[in-house]
Amino acid sequence: MSNLDAATEAIASHLHPTASYNLADHALPTGKEEIWRFTPLEPLRPVLEGASADAELAWSGELPEQVSHAELSKEDVVAAGAQAPFDRVAAVALDHAAQSARIDIPAGLEVADPIVIDAVGRGGTVYGRTLVNVGAGASVTLVLRHRGLANYGELTNIVVGDGARLNFVSVQDWDDGAVHAGQHSILIGKDARVKSVTASLGGKLIRLMETAKYAGTGGELEQFGVYFADAGQHSEHRLFVDHNLPNTVSNVDYRGALQGEGANAVWIGDVLIRKVAQNISTYESNKNLLLTDGCRAESVPNLEIETGDIQGAGHSSTTGRFDDEQLFYLRSRGIPEAEARRLVVHGFFADIIRRIGVPEVEQRLLAVLEKELDAVGLPAANNEEN
Amino acid sequence: MSTLEIKDLHVEVETEAGPKQILKGVDLVIASGEVHAIMGPNGSGKSTMAYSVAGHPKYTITQGSVKLDGVELTQLSVDQRAKAGLFLAMQYPIEVPGVSVANFLRTAKTALSGEAPKVRTWVKEVNEAMSRLGLDETFSSRSLNEGFSGGEKKRNEIVQLELLKPKFAILDETDSGLDIDALRIVSEGVNRYMAEGGHGTLLITHYTRILNYIKPDFVHVFVDGRIVTEGGPELAENLEVEGYDRFVKMAAAA
C-alpha cells in the first residue's frame, strides 16, 4: 500500500482543487476563490446553499439484463472510494441527493450497442448521486443525456475495473433556463482504457468538474469535449487529471464555439504528475472559436510536474476568430465566404464529434451545430453567393 | 482565347513601421496557351504579385489593374476572382482540420460551376486525378492538407488545378521542396492542364530546374517590385549561368 499512500499524498498547491467527503470542508464560495472566480454564483445559489430538493429528473433507458441498478447512499459512495467531492456543489449533492443510482456492469461483459440513459428535468431543484461500476475486462459504451429544465447538482463517480474498456458520453442538452453543476469523476483501473466525450449544448449555466485518476498502472484516458455557448449562457468545464501512478496516459481535447452577447466559456485543464508517476504521457488541448463580438472565453491549462522521468507532457490553448489563411485558401478555390466559414466551423467540431461512436448522439450534435451556424447567419452549404 | 492583363500594378503591405510598397508597377499580359515564367531573387515581390492578384487581404493594391477577359479582378472578392477563372497554387498550402479533401473538392467544384458535379463520374474523376499525381485514394478522406508532407501538399494543389480547370493558373514556387520524382510528377500535371487548351500559366520560381519539365514561352525577371527584363526560354538559361546579380545591380543603379 506504500505505493498508493505516496500516490495520494497531498501536494501543497493552489492549482489543483482539494477533495473532501465532508460538506463542512467546502465553504460557501464568495467568488474570489481560485475554483470559483470564473463562475457566476447567482444562478448556483440554490445548489450551493443546499436548498431542499423539490423535484427529480425522470430517468429512462434500457439496461442489458446482466446490468443491475440500485439505490445508492452517501456511505456507498464513500466506501467505493472513487473520488470525493472537489467542490461544494458536488458535496451538497452527495449529502442531499434524493435521487440516486448505482449501476453495476459485471466483469467481462461486452455490450456492442450503447447503453443510453435519458435524464429529463421538469423544473425544480434536484440533486443526484450516481455510481457506475464497470467490472474488470468489461467493454461498454454508456451515454448519459440530460434534457429539460432543472437546477441540478450532482456527483457521478465511475469506477473502471482492470482491463475494462469504457466509452462514456455525457450530453448536456438542457432547455434554456437550466442550471447544471457538479462533478464527473473516473477512476481508471490497471490497463483499462477510457474514452469520455462531454457535449454541453444548452442551459443557462453548466459547470462540470471532470476528474480522472488511476487505480492501477497502464491506464489510458482519452477525453474529448464539445461546447456551444450562446448569448447569456455560461459553459464551464474544469478538468483535473491526476497522474498518480506510473505508465499512465491522458489525452484531452476540448473545443468550443461562442456567439452572442454575454456568451461565456471557461475551460480549466489541470494535470498533476506525481513523483511516482514515471513514464507517463499527457497532452491537453483547448480551442475556442469566437463567432461574434461580445463573447468571452477563459482557457487555463495548468501542468504540475513532480517528476521529470516521463514520456511527455504538454498542453496548448487557442482562442480566436476565424483563421484568415484558412478562409483565403477555401475562397481562392471559389467557395463563397459564408460557406467557407461554415466549412471551417464544421471541420473544427467534426474532428471531435466523429469520435463519439454513437450515431444518434453524433447526429444530434451535428444538427445542433447546424443551428448554431444558422444563428450566426452562415447559410447551408451550396446555397448561394453573398 | 482568354487574356490575363496586369497593368501598372502597385501593391503595399502593412508592416509595423507602416505601409511598405512591394510592387512598383508591374505590367504583364498572358494569353491562353502560354506559359510565362517569373524568376527573381528572394524578396523581389514575386509572391506578393501572386497573392495580391488572387485577393489576399494582407495586400493592398494602391494603383493599377488586373483584368481577366476584360473583367477587373481587383474589384472582386477572392472567391469571385476564382469564379472568373483564376487559380493560385500556393507555396504553403493551408491546413483545414476536419474538412476532408473530397468534401473540399466537391464544394469548390460546385461553387465554380454553379451546380453539384454528378456523384458517380466525379468520384472517379477525383480518384484518377489523385492517382496521376501519386496520391492514393485514402487522401480524399483525410483532412485538407493536415499532416500532409510538403510534397503531398504540392501534389494536392495540382490535383485541384486539374479538377477545377481554371482559365489561368499562378503557381507560386510549386517546385520548392520537391524531390526529382515529385518535381516530374507535378510538372506533368501542369503540362496536362496546358495541353487541354484554353489555359494559361504563370510560373513563379527561383530555379531553372522546373523549366526543364515545363517549357516557358516567356521568361520575366523580377527585381525590387518590377519586371526588369524579359525574353524567351534562352533568358532562363542565361540566368542559370549568370545569376540575378547583374539585374539586381541594374535595378539598384536605376
Side-chain angles (χ1 to χ4, degrees), chain A residues 255 323-326 328-337 339 343-344 346-348 350-351 382 385-386, chain B residues 51 55-56 77-79 82-83 87-88 90 94-95 97-99 103-104 107-108 111-112 144-145 157 160 164:
Chain A
R255 298 183 194 185
D323 182 324
D324 283 343
E325 296 299 327
Q326 288 181 346
F328 175 72
Y329 187 76
L330 296 173
R331 294 181 69 196
S332 76
R333 272 45 175 162
I335 300 171
E337 180 171 5
E339 202 178 337
L343 269 181
V344 168
H346 238 287
F348 184 75
D351 235 16
N382 307 334
E385 276 184 290
N386 291 10
Chain B
Y51 281 85
H56 194 286
S77 67
V78 176
D79 44 287
K83 219 171 165 185
F87 179 89
L88 171 62
M90 296 185 199
I94 305 298
E95 302 188 357
V99 176
N103 185 18
F104 162 68
T107 306
L112 288 169
L144 182 55
N145 291 322
E157 295 290 280
Q160 294 168 44
L164 302 179

Side-chain angles (χ1 to χ4, degrees), chain A residues 6-67:
Chain A
T8 50
E9 170 190 21
I11 290 180
S13 164
H14 71 282
L15 285 178
H16 64 269
T18 319
S20 168
Y21 286 109
N22 187 357
L23 178 57
D25 291 337
H26 301 279
L28 258 177
T30 64
K32 297 209 167 75
E33 299 80 0
E34 178 62 30
I35 65 165
W36 291 105
R37 66 190 179 103
F38 294 121
T39 316
L41 293 181
E42 216 37 53
L44 281 177
R45 284 285 166 216
V47 291
L48 278 170
E49 287 170 0
S52 46
D54 56 9
E56 294 198 341
L57 304 183
W59 287 58
S60 62
E62 266 183 49
L63 299 178
E65 56 178 338
Q66 303 93 327
V67 175

Side-chain angles (χ1 to χ4, degrees), chain A residues 41-364:
Chain A
L41 293 181
E42 216 37 53
L44 281 177
R45 284 285 166 216
V47 291
L48 278 170
E49 287 170 0
S52 46
D54 56 9
E56 294 198 341
L57 304 183
W59 287 58
S60 62
E62 266 183 49
L63 299 178
E65 56 178 338
Q66 303 93 327
V67 175
S68 61
H69 68 104
E71 295 286 303
L72 175 76
S73 68
K74 175 178 178 180
E75 290 67 36
D76 295 335
V77 173
V78 175
Q83 182 58 62
F86 277 110
D87 68 22
R88 185 171 171 95
V89 174
V92 167
L94 181 60
D95 278 13
H96 286 42
Q99 188 160 36
S100 71
R102 176 197 170 110
I103 298 169
D104 285 298
I105 294 155
L109 180 70
E110 294 188 15
V111 188
D113 292 333
I115 302 169
V116 181
I117 297 171
D118 283 299
V120 182
R122 297 193 183 92
T125 298
V126 186
Y127 300 105
R129 179 167 59 217
T130 309
L131 174 67
V132 180
N133 278 308
V134 181
S139 175
V140 292
T141 292
L142 181 64
V143 182
L144 195 51
R145 284 195 301 211
H146 303 91
R147 290 188 284 124
L149 196 62
N151 282 322
Y152 185 45
E154 57 129 344
L155 171 65
T156 298
N157 270 340
I158 301 177
V159 179
V160 183
D162 294 350
R165 277 160 197 238
L166 171 67
N167 180 9
F168 175 63
V169 182
S170 179
V171 184
Q172 289 65 245
D173 196 359
W174 296 102
D175 291 347
D176 282 346
V179 171
H180 178 179
Q183 179 177 325
H184 292 173
S185 291
I186 306 178
L187 182 62
I188 303 167
K190 183 176 171 15
D191 297 326
R193 286 171 63 178
V194 174
K195 177 169 78 176
S196 83
V197 182
T198 299
S200 297
L201 313 175
K204 180 182 176 55
L205 183 150
I206 293 172
R207 178 188 145 115
L208 285 178
M209 176 91 216
E210 301 181 81
T211 79
K213 67 182 180 189
Y214 300 84
T217 58
E220 281 185 35
L221 170 69
E222 275 192 296
Q223 196 170 7
F224 301 106
V226 170
Y227 49 88
F228 304 127
D230 294 351
Q233 289 185 333
H234 178 90
S235 184
E236 179 167 349
H237 299 85
R238 311 183 65 90
L239 278 64
F240 176 37
V241 180
D242 187 346
H243 278 281
N244 56 334
L245 286 173
N247 300 313
T248 50
V249 175
S250 67
N251 259 305
V252 173
D253 189 343
Y254 273 57
R255 298 183 194 185
L258 292 79
Q259 62 171 298
E261 201 56 41
N264 208 2
V266 178
W267 180 85
I268 310 293
D270 290 334
V271 175
L272 172 60
I273 303 170
R274 294 179 188 265
K275 262 198 199 82
V276 296
Q278 289 166 358
N279 204 36
I280 67 101
S281 154
T282 175
Y283 197 86
E284 301 223 334
S285 161
N286 175 230
K287 294 181 185 149
N288 292 294
L289 203 47
L290 308 178
L291 297 175
T292 67
D293 289 335
C295 41
R296 183 177 175 84
E298 309 282 351
S299 179
V300 187
N302 290 315
L303 195 48
E304 293 175 87
I305 305 180
E306 304 275 317
T307 174
D309 188 9
I310 58 173
Q311 296 235 335
H315 58 224
S316 71
S317 160
T318 60
T319 294
R321 294 179 172 276
F322 284 95
D323 182 324
D324 283 343
E325 296 299 327
Q326 288 181 346
L327 290 180
F328 175 72
Y329 187 76
L330 296 173
R331 294 181 69 196
S332 76
R333 272 45 175 162
I335 300 171
E337 180 171 5
E339 202 178 337
R341 287 178 186 271
R342 200 173 184 106
L343 269 181
V344 168
V345 181
H346 238 287
F348 184 75
F349 287 109
D351 235 16
I352 299 284
I353 293 175
R354 66 184 170 82
R355 299 173 203 261
I356 293 174
V358 182
E360 60 173 305
V361 175
E362 291 182 7
Q363 279 152 25
R364 169 67 187 148

Side-chain angles (χ1 to χ4, degrees), chain B residues 219 231-239:
Chain B
V219 175
E234 73 287 345
L235 180 56
E237 285 156 33
N238 291 347
L239 285 171

Side-chain angles (χ1 to χ4, degrees), chain B residues 10-14 19-23 48 58-62:
Chain B
H10 287 66
V11 173
E12 280 179 3
V13 62
E14 202 56 50
K20 184 180 181 215
Q21 193 172 25
I22 308 282
L23 297 190
T48 296
K58 195 175 137 192
Y59 303 97
T60 310
I61 294 174
T62 53

